[in-house]
């Protein structure tokens, strides 16, 4: 291989490396936006439910899933026009809506529906990029949680360099500082609480499982950053076995 070929190969490798880094940056921005939008959507949905409860409290209380409620109300919000819930509407204690009341509530519901559609699209995007760029971590934690913990660490390379004890606490920084300042009980986990092998456990057991999961997440991050081996399924299986063990203790 002559000098020119070596130079071209070096440039090609550098471009590929920069493209991968840029993808991680895009992923971190996307998951940050996703978290912000989901938090805002939750607050706005609470406001909508509180408002709609005045008109049709029986339906608002019966349909707990926000997406389902918005789907039901996608054509009309007036209880008398919701044929599937006619019996519920007949005995409703809710207020009648004037034209302007109906219009503004419909606009609110339409806005929430539109935002939910974008959140779903953004979540799909995050999942796709995470699976491409962090295969092991995505299998172990799920792609969205993998992206979230990478964002909290400041990037995949930073995450790969962190000890498991630090990874366990990512997302719990405020609680940790409060503990150091005021005392009390220290936090046992950060964002890893959202993992399906941590959140269902009794609070006294979550710390142990989060510690084990953080250890495996550290390995997965290093594999994704420095290695080319796909061990995500093995790591996840180890966590599943540990979860069952901790659950039975």
């Amino acid at each position: 291989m002559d000098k020119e070929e070596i130079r071209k190969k070096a440039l090609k490798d550098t471009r590929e490396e920069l493209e991968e880094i840029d993808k991680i940056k895009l992923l971190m921005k996307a998951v940050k936006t996703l978290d912000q939008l989901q938090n805002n959507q939750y607050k706005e949905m609470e406001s909508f439910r509180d408002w709609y409860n005045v008109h049709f409290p029986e339906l608002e209380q019966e349909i707990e899933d926000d997406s389902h409620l918005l789907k039901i109300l996608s054509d009309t919000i007036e209880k008398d026009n919701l044929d599937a819930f006619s019996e519920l509407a007949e005995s409703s204690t809710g207020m009648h809506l004037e034209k302007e009341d109906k219009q503004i509530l419909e606009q609110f519901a339409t806005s929430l529906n539109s935002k939910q559609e974008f959140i779903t699209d953004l979540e799909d995007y995050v999942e796709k990029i995470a699976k491409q760029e962090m295969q092991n971590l995505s299998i172990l934690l799920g792609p969205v949680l993998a992206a979230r913990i990478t964002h909290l660490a400041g990037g995949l390379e930073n995450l790969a360099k962190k000890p498991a004890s630090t990874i366990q606490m990512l997302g719990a920084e405020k609680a940790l500082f409060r503990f150091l300042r005021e005392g009390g009980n220290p936090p046992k986990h950060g964002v890893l609480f959202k993992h399906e092998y941590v959140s269902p456990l009794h609070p006294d057991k979550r710390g142990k499982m989060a510690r084990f999961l953080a250890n495996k997440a550290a390995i997965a991050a290093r594999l994704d950053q420095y290695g080319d081996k796909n061990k995500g399924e093995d790591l996840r299986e180890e966590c599943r076995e540990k979860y069952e063990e901790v659950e039975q203790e």
Side-chain angles (χ1 to χ4, degrees):
M1 184 180 292
D2 60 27
K3 289 183 178 180
E4 182 61 22
E5 288 177 330
I6 293 173
R7 187 184 72 83
K8 288 181 178 178
K9 184 178 185 305
L11 286 172
K12 180 176 180 293
D13 292 344
T14 301
R15 278 197 299 268
E16 290 177 352
E17 184 177 345
L18 287 173
E19 286 175 1
E20 183 174 342
I21 292 172
D22 287 341
K23 276 292 188 181
I24 294 294
K25 286 182 178 179
L26 287 172
L27 178 64
M28 290 165 59
K29 297 293 185 183
V31 78
K32 180 181 178 182
T33 302
L34 177 63
D35 286 345
Q36 291 172 340
L37 291 175
Q38 287 178 330
N39 186 49
N40 291 340
Q41 182 80 345
Y42 175 77
K43 292 178 179 178
E44 289 182 16
M45 193 65 206
E46 278 192 326
S47 296
F48 176 79
R49 280 183 169 276
D50 186 51
W51 195 347
Y52 189 70
N53 185 275
V54 175
H55 172 59
F56 198 176
E58 295 79 9
L59 180 64
E60 187 276 324
Q61 292 161 17
E62 179 168 313
I63 309 299
E64 296 182 358
D65 182 82
D66 291 339
S67 297
H68 188 199
L69 179 61
L70 289 174
K71 186 176 181 179
I72 291 170
L73 302 178
S74 59
D75 293 327
T76 179
I77 63 167
E78 289 187 282
K79 58 185 177 183
D80 293 337
N81 295 332
L82 293 169
D83 295 338
F85 300 92
S86 57
E87 290 187 15
L88 207 59
E90 287 177 6
S91 58
S92 175
T93 59
M95 290 176 53
H96 172 72
L97 292 179
E98 300 292 343
K99 182 179 179 180
E100 59 269 26
D101 306 322
K102 174 177 172 291
Q103 287 178 339
I104 200 68
L105 266 175
E106 283 180 344
Q107 288 178 16
F108 197 176
T110 299
S111 173
L112 286 168
N113 257 319
S114 178
K115 290 176 183 178
Q116 185 57 55
E117 288 175 2
F118 177 64
I119 287 172
T120 299
D121 290 343
L122 184 56
E123 192 167 21
D124 290 343
Y125 170 82
V126 168
E127 289 185 2
K128 179 181 178 182
I129 302 303
K131 288 176 181 177
Q132 290 174 351
E133 303 298 324
M134 304 180 297
Q135 187 177 23
N136 291 286
L137 202 60
S138 292
I139 292 172
L140 176 64
L141 301 181
V144 175
L145 183 55
R148 188 171 287 125
I149 205 167
T150 300
H151 164 64
L152 290 170
L156 182 58
E157 185 175 4
N158 286 343
L159 181 64
K161 292 177 179 179
K162 293 186 184 297
S165 57
T166 300
I167 293 175
Q168 182 181 346
M169 290 295 109
L170 287 172
E173 290 79 8
K174 290 183 179 179
L176 184 59
F177 290 146
R178 185 167 58 249
F179 162 71
L180 294 173
R181 185 176 62 251
E182 302 173 4
N185 296 322
K188 298 177 181 178
H189 42 64
V191 72
L192 287 180
F193 166 76
K194 297 185 178 181
H195 195 275
E196 62 181 305
Y197 293 157
V198 178
S199 58
L201 292 171
H202 187 278
D204 292 340
K205 299 179 179 181
R206 288 174 187 159
K208 184 175 184 178
M209 186 64 218
R211 185 163 55 251
F212 187 88
L213 182 60
N215 182 272
K216 300 305 175 184
I219 295 172
R222 289 163 195 158
L223 284 170
D224 287 330
Q225 177 64 27
Y226 305 115
D228 56 0
K229 294 181 179 179
N230 182 8
K231 293 187 175 180
E233 294 291 352
D234 293 338
L235 293 171
R236 186 173 178 84
E237 178 61 19
E238 289 177 35
C239 287
R240 184 191 65 77
E241 292 175 356
K242 185 65 175 180
Y243 169 75
E244 292 179 353
E245 175 188 319
V246 172
E247 189 179 32
Q248 297 300 320
E249 289 178 352

